[in-house]
């Protein structure tokens, strides 16, 4: 919900600046998605006054003005003809910027210097709808005097701070200005009361003499109120109302439509206005019937589209025809026009599930339906329609007929729920005194009844229904302060507590892995855990592959979502395919997800997948090594691997070798996706992936002990070793053999050359390694190094028949 900060400050006293307010609001659970400021691109536009005005000596259509801008009087040339001496106008001085990035500089016009520009409403991003009294082609003239040199934007309403509030589905009361204001007052511990409404009823007779209302389905329409205004005068709404509507994202239309939208923003209750002359009469009175539609019944809505309805659609109708789709959109046959002389205002409450289903089935989502489908308080209806009548009085739109027709068969009452202050403390891990808990609840209007052995909280109707003790604990927590609640994980907590606060070590490591991958340039993806059985064919899985044994869904949404995935590749390949189709040059994604091997076997996997000019096998291998070294340390061995969906010559398994003499742990694999698999997903470039076993990674991380090894005080001894081996021997095998006999002082093994050529026998290759030895307590001698080299050569000769070069 977009809310101008000035509107909020008019209702509740906010002692903080906007940035501080935003921070405090987020801490209190009132999340703000962002802040925008209208007219941000407009700078250095100030108030000036025309002191003198004369024709340009060399141009009949130009005027030379002497304009006082407070600190000085400057000469500015303009082509506008609507100015006179003494006018107060907006002046863009040298260095100013206007709408569209236009920069204002000193210049010469027909030989005379011009030190800025006098601004029209168009150059400030406004229209005649914003300033109806302005001149469209000329310079904007302020209707009253202002201090010279002051910033013109606030005066013209062009520097409004607009906050984007996130509205939670269980708090529809905050989808309104007054609802937000109530929360802000609670946050600052200030009293809050809805504003008093005064309606001057000056129309003839009473509403009950003009209108009858009949509700045929009280479950879908708990309440319906009708009020009538006569002698309607359709006109533009005042500028202050237009500014607030625009800042909130609504387009001003006319005074009647704007009043309904303004009240919807202010109270959260949608209103609808019918041209009462289009509502058929029954026994001399305009007849409103709230009923469900007949199957196949039709109505043309305000957007000009004919809608075909079913028997689950709730309608507002008269005795002859449908008038509106309840809670969604009005009918075209009763819309307010310039010729309208009397209006029936509707303020009603509708069942949330009914409105949601209707909106979804018709593909018609409106501001009204978005509010109704979250569930509204039926007690809000009366205040909202009366506020609309008050605005009709203020804007002189017409005469309000006395009274209202209010059908409310089963009024909603405040709900009483039992609670225990001590249980709330147990849930939160706090020791808040009961009186303080009561005070926190009182802030949001929750009264408490204290007895000797039991307590009750009285939930006001605007907070909705279905509250429990856990909801009360949440209210207490957000005003007490989440940051004041200490984590109790890993402490001894009584087993009777329903919840434990804090984050488990595994969860913390998962978050750290995500942060590390984000630092490496990857974006987290979330894909569906179910897919089509055809994914096995796209991944080139053999007919007897175990990954084809999918877990089938009993009641699937369709064939494309009929089985649980047995591999995590399909979802990310589809995501990369979308990126490639949209011509993104590169993409790097990762996902923590589950592979489903059977009904009882689920395996957590970390999957990375990427393509692009900056990605190849070695780049991915480096990312994996960076990630693993940060969490589990040790050495990693990459061994050639063949998988049906991976490139046969560019794929390797990953094993973790903590010590040469200990058994290695399998961590997963990495490599290039098979080109045919990439083509099956319409990706016309090389794709690289890595799949890691999260269970294995966490197991190794749990056993890792952090330690600090100081840099060696003594110089290292470096020896190079070159030998020939059969060409099928891998570098990983050779490095493992070297470390196996390298001794405790072998600090580093680095392959720096591989050669096959005329000087090497066919079927063999030459490999050269740099070995770095260092001791923490002394400088190693040649004899000590030679001892290790001899052992290494012997091991290589024994295992690979290596010949020293």
């Amino acid at each position: 919900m977009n809310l101008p900060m000035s509107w909020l400050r008019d209702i509740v006293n906010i002692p903080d600046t906007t940035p501080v307010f935003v921070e405090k609001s987020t801490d209190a659970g009132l999340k703000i998605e962002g802040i925008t400021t209208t007219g941000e691109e407009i700078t250095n536009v100030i108030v000036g006054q025309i002191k003198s005005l004369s024709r340009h000596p060399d141009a009949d259509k130009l005027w030379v003005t002497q304009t006082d801008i407070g600190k000085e009087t400057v000469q500015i040339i303009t082509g506008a003809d609507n100015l006179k001496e003494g006018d107060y106008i907006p002046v863009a001085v040298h260095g100013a910027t206007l709408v569209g990035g236009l920069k204002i500089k000193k210049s010469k016009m027909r030989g005379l210097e011009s030190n800025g520009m006098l601004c029209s409403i168009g150059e400030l991003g406004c229209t005649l709808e914003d300033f109806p009294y302005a001149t469209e082609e000329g310079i904007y003239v302020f209707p009253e005097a202002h201090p010279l040199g002051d910033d013109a934007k606030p005066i013209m309403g062009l520097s409004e701070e607009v906050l984007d509030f996130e509205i939670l589905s269980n708090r529809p009361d905050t989808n309104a200005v007054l609802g937000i204001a109530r929360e802000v007052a609670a946050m600052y511990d200030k009293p809050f009361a809805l504003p008093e409404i005064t309606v001057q009823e000056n129309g003839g007779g009473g509403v009950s003499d003009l209108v009858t209302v009949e509700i045929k389905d009280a479950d879908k329409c708990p309440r319906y109120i009708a009020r009538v205004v006569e002698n309607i005068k359709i006109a533009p709404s005042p500028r202050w109302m237009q500014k607030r509507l625009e800042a909130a994202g609504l387009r001003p239309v006319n005074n009647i439509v704007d009043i309904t939208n303004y009240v919807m923003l202010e109270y959260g209750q949608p209103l609808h206005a019918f041209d009462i002359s289009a509502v058929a009469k029954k026994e001399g009175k305009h007849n409103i019937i709230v009923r469900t539609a007949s199957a196949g019944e039709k109505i043309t809505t305000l957007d000009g589209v004919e809608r075909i309805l079913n028997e689950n659609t709730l309608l507002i109708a008269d005795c002859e025809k449908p008038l509106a789709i309840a809670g969604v959109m009005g009918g075209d046959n009763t819309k307010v026009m310039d010729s309208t002389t009397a209006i029936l205002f509707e303020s009603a409450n509708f069942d949330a599930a009914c409105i949601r289903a209707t909106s979804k089935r018709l593909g018609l989502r409106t501001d009204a339906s978005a509010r109704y489908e979250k569930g509204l308080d039926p007690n809000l209806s009366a205040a909202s329609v009366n506020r609309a009548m008050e605005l009709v009085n203020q804007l002189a739109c017409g005469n309000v007929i006395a009274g209202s027709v209010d059908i409310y068969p089963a009024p909603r009452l405040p709900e009483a729920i039992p609670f225990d202050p001590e249980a709330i403390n147990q849930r939160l891990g706090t020791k808040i005194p009961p009186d303080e808990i009561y005070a926190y609840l009182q802030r949001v209007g929750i009264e408490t009844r204290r007895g000797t052995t039991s307590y009750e909280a009285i939930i006001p109707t605007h907070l909705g229904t279905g509250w429990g003790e856990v909801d009360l604990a949440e209210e207490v927590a957000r005003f007490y302060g989440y940051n004041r609640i200490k984590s109790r994980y890993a402490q001894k907590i009584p087993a009777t507590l329903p919840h434990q606060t804090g984050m488990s070590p595994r969860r913390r490591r998962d978050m750290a892995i995500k942060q590390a991958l984000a630092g490496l340039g990857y974006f987290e993806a979330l894909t569906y855990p179910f897919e089509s059985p055809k994914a096995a064919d796209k991944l080139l899985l053999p007919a007897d592959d175990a990954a084809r044994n999918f877990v089938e869904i009993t009641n699937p949404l369709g064939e494309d979502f009929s089985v649980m995935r047995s591999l995590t590749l399909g979802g990310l390949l589809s995501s990369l395919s979308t990126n490639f189709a949209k011509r993104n040059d590169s993409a790097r994604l990762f996902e923590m997800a589950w592979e489903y091997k059977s009904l009882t076997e689920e395996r957590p996997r970390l999957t990375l997948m990427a393509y692009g000019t900056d990605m190849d096998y070695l780049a991915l291998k480096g990312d994996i090594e960076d990630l693993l070294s940060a969490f589990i340390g040790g050495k990693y061995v990459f061994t050639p691997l063949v998988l049906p969906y991976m490139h046969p010559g560019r794929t390797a398994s990953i094993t973790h070798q903590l010590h040469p003499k200990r058994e290695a742990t399998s961590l997963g694999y990495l490599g290039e996706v098979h080109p045919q698999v990439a083509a099956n997903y319409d990706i016309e470039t090389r794709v690289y992936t890595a799949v890691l076993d999260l269970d294995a990674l966490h197991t190794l991380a749990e056993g890792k002990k952090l330690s600090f090894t100081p840099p060696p005080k003594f110089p290292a001894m470096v020896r190079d070793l070159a030998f020939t081996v059969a060409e099928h021997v891998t570098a990983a095998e050779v490095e493992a053999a070297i470390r196996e006999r390298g001794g405790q002082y072998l600090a580093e093994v680095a392959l720096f050359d591989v050669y096959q050529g005329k000087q090497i026998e066919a079927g063999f290759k030459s490999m050269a390694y740099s070995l770095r030895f260092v001791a923490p307590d002394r400088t190693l001698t040649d004899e000590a190094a030679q001892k290790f080299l001899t052992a290494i050569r012997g091991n290589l000769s024994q295992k690979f028949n290596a010949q020293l070069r």
Side-chain angles (χ1 to χ4, degrees), residues 301 303 305-309 313 325 328-329 355-366 369 373:
T301 47
D303 56 2
V305 178
E306 185 179 71
R307 312 280 179 179
I308 300 176
L309 313 175
T313 304
I325 302 174
V328 180
M329 184 176 285
I355 302 304
R356 187 184 305 113
T358 298
S359 177
K360 182 177 180 180
R361 190 183 67 81
L362 296 177
L364 183 61
R365 185 174 174 83
T366 62
S369 68
E373 67 185 25

Side-chain angles (χ1 to χ4, degrees), residues 525-544:
L526 296 173
T527 64
Y528 291 115
F530 27 79
E531 61 187 5
S532 169
K534 297 178 182 178
D537 297 329
K538 297 174 76 172
L539 292 173
L540 307 181
L541 295 178
D544 59 348

Side-chain angles (χ1 to χ4, degrees), residues 633-714:
K635 302 297 179 182
Y636 315 103
V637 179
F638 298 87
T639 308
L641 179 67
V642 177
L643 293 171
Y645 40 83
M646 300 295 292
H647 192 293
R650 299 171 185 157
T651 304
S653 64
I654 310 169
T655 54
H656 176 263
Q657 190 74 47
L658 188 62
H659 190 276
K661 296 184 179 181
R662 295 182 184 176
E663 185 179 353
T665 301
S666 175
L667 291 180
Y669 62 89
L670 84 162
E672 182 182 333
V673 173
H674 197 292
Q676 184 57 52
V677 172
N680 289 343
Y681 283 89
D682 298 321
I683 306 174
E684 300 173 3
T685 188
R686 291 183 174 182
V687 179
Y688 299 90
T689 189
V691 180
L692 300 180
D693 184 336
L694 275 173
D695 280 342
L697 196 154
H698 281 295
T699 299
L700 292 170
E702 287 172 359
K704 178 185 175 183
K705 294 182 179 180
L706 298 177
S707 61
F708 172 72
T709 302
K713 299 179 181 179
F714 301 93

